[in-house]
Amino acid sequence: ETGVTQTPRHLVMGMTNKKSLKCEQHLGHNAMYWYKQSAKKPLELMFVYSLEERVENNSVPSRFSPECPNSSHLFLHLHTLQPEDSALYLCASSHRPGPYEQYFGPGTRLTVT
Amino acid sequence: GESVGLHLPTLSVQEGDNSIINCAYSNSASDYFIWYKQESGKGPQFIIDIRSNMDKRQGQRVTVLLNKTVKHLSLQIAATQPGDSAVYFCAENPIQGGSEKLVFGKGTKLTVNP
């Protein structure tokens, strides 16, 4: 595997479910990010982790819970989501301290029913 | 509010022509700018970046121009090919001092006609 990988690529979940998104980077970077991409809206930064420590939380609702166990892995735990949370969730990584280009994964297409 | 935006949401060009995609930003303190390409079903792909101490940077078939006076960024694609069809995003780093935060524009959809 190379670059930034994300699993699953597609996810459908009910509002009462709990699921997790996984991201893995194989680039030797020390910063990782979660973004939300909704139709006709700019990419929205959700969380930034640097050296496994959360350094930014962009006022994201608590139903989204990130976890970064090491510099190569990033998770986004989801629970009691709303239909408006349906979007493409993108993971990215970069060197730090920045700014430097961020490398994105293919995303997880999430649908909340 | 959003500090990065695009003048046109769509751009259609003929294969072989040059393309110019524009971006305006409002934060004069921004010191780093970047362009991404996103094809359908894929994540954004890095194209080129530029720091505020430069006004032009060239890559393979792409050139980024930065005009700090009018806070304008542009991406020029030479000899546009069908494979260049995608949505292009500009982004800026609005905070100096080592921050990794990028603020993205809404994107311009480029369509290349054969």
Side-chain angles (χ1 to χ4, degrees):
Chain A
E1 293 276 15
T2 58
V4 181
T5 59
Q6 290 186 244
T7 54
R9 294 294 308 276
H10 300 272
L11 178 63
V12 179
M13 60 185 290
M15 290 189 285
T16 58
N17 292 159
K18 291 184 180 180
K19 296 287 184 182
S20 295
L21 309 185
K22 179 182 177 181
C23 175
E24 185 172 0
Q25 60 95 1
H26 310 267
L27 300 168
H29 291 159
N30 53 10
M32 297 187 76
Y33 313 78
W34 280 117
Y35 286 88
K36 176 184 179 182
Q37 187 175 36
S38 305
K40 300 181 180 180
K41 291 178 69 175
L43 269 73
E44 302 171 64
L45 178 65
M46 300 175 71
F47 302 103
V48 180
Y49 273 84
S50 175
L51 299 172
E52 300 105 60
E53 180 181 336
R54 190 188 312 179
V55 296
E56 186 147 357
N57 176 346
N58 263 14
S59 302
V60 179
S62 60
R63 57 185 184 269
F64 295 91
S65 175
E67 178 189 3
C68 187
N70 55 62
S71 60
S72 298
H73 294 85
L74 185 66
F75 295 89
L76 188 62
H77 304 300
L78 316 171
H79 64 96
T80 59
L81 295 191
Q82 304 299 312
E84 59 264 30
D85 296 323
S86 298
L88 182 69
Y89 289 85
L90 290 159
C91 174
S93 70
S94 75
H95 289 295
R96 191 181 190 269
Y100 293 103
E101 64 269 26
Q102 296 176 17
Y103 290 85
F104 284 83
T108 294
R109 174 67 62 185
L110 174 67
T111 303
V112 181
T113 60
Chain B
E2 182 187 338
S3 65
V4 177
L6 291 159
H7 294 306
L8 295 173
T10 61
L11 178 65
S12 184
V13 300
Q14 291 298 121
E15 181 178 359
D17 287 353
N18 296 333
S19 302
I20 300 176
I21 301 172
N22 296 303
C23 184
Y25 65 95
S26 58
N27 191 336
S28 58
S30 293
D31 64 349
Y32 176 77
F33 305 87
I34 189 168
W35 282 100
Y36 283 93
K37 169 187 180 183
Q38 187 173 23
E39 297 174 272
S40 180
K42 297 183 178 181
Q45 177 186 359
F46 167 75
I47 301 174
I48 193 168
D49 58 3
I50 189 168
R51 298 191 184 271
S52 59
N53 59 351
M54 302 173 69
D55 54 20
K56 180 180 180 180
R57 191 168 186 216
Q58 289 184 290
Q60 187 175 12
R61 280 202 307 121
V62 295
T63 300
V64 56
L65 298 177
L66 175 62
N67 186 330
K68 295 180 287 294
T69 302
V70 296
K71 290 183 282 189
H72 184 266
L73 188 71
S74 68
L75 177 70
Q76 300 178 359
I77 305 173
T80 314
Q81 302 168 1
D84 295 326
S85 294
V87 177
Y88 290 79
F89 297 94
C90 65
E92 63 174 322
N93 174 246
I95 304 170
Q96 295 178 337
S99 168
E100 291 70 39
K101 183 173 183 174
L102 292 177
V103 176
F104 284 80
K106 292 182 179 178
T108 292
K109 183 176 181 180
L110 175 65
T111 301
V112 181
N113 302 308

